[in-house]
């Protein structure tokens, strides 16, 4: 039985897209970590770890597993993927707004004991990190769904 070449090609393209998305996500982490480390200096290593931890935790919780649902619902014989992708994009936009509205006060409460410079840096990192994290996760979910 001969293989369908279009399925092979789309599988390779999906793999390459997923690989590139993961590389972009890793690059985002490395670049943001490098910038924060330079801004805090040698004596700010503990603050650096805390500044990275809380925004990443809040952003991960704020996704509400929408990306996993997207992969599950757009693969196989479910609804047309265009409808699901549009709904997922809207749900992620709402989740992003809620995450930022809840996360900024949480960051302020968590970092209140630190100097103002670190407080501002932590909140700014959170506000920049969340949309990037949500966007890359959504792209990764689209790629994963295309592979299944």
């Amino acid at each position: 039985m001969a293989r369908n070449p279009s399925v092979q090609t789309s599988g390779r393209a999906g793999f390459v897209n997923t690989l590139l998305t993961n590389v972009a996500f890793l690059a985002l982490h490395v670049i943001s970590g490098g910038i924060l480390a330079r801004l805090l200096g040698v004596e700010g290593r503990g603050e650096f770890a805390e500044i990275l931890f809380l925004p990443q935790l809040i952003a991960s919780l704020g996704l509400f597993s929408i990306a996993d649902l997207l992969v599950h619902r757009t693969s196989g014989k479910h609804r047309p993927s265009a409808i699901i992708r549009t709904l997922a994009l809207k749900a992620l936009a709402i989740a992003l707004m809620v995450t930022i509205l809840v996360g900024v006060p949480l960051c302020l409460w968590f970092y209140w004991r630190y100097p103002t410079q670190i407080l501002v840096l932590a909140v700014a990192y959170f506000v920049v990190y969340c949309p990037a994290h949500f966007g890359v996760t959504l792209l990764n979910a689209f790629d994963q769904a295309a592979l299944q």
Side-chain angles (χ1 to χ4, degrees), residues 14-15 17-22 25 63 65-76 81 84-85 88-89 92 132-148:
F15 174 76
N17 287 341
T18 300
L19 178 68
L20 292 176
T21 303
N22 286 332
F25 193 51
L63 280 172
S65 296
I66 295 171
D68 296 330
L69 178 67
L70 176 67
V71 171
H72 174 71
R73 289 309 226 170
T74 56
S75 60
S81 62
I84 297 293
R85 286 181 180 203
L89 189 59
L92 276 176
H133 179 69
F134 276 50
V136 170
T137 303
L138 182 66
L139 288 174
N140 198 11
F142 286 160
D143 293 340
Q144 288 294 322
L147 288 174
Q148 291 187 2

Side-chain angles (χ1 to χ4, degrees), residues 42-66:
V42 177
E43 64 277 352
R45 288 184 185 164
E47 290 87 0
F48 171 70
E50 287 188 30
I51 287 173
L52 288 181
F53 171 72
L54 190 64
Q56 291 174 5
L57 176 68
I58 294 171
S60 295
L61 293 175
L63 280 172
F64 298 113
S65 296
I66 295 171

Side-chain angles (χ1 to χ4, degrees), residues 24-38 48 52 125:
F25 193 51
L26 181 62
L28 175 71
H29 278 289
V30 170
I31 291 169
S32 64
I35 291 171
L36 280 175
R38 296 287 179 217
F48 171 70
L52 288 181
Y125 177 72

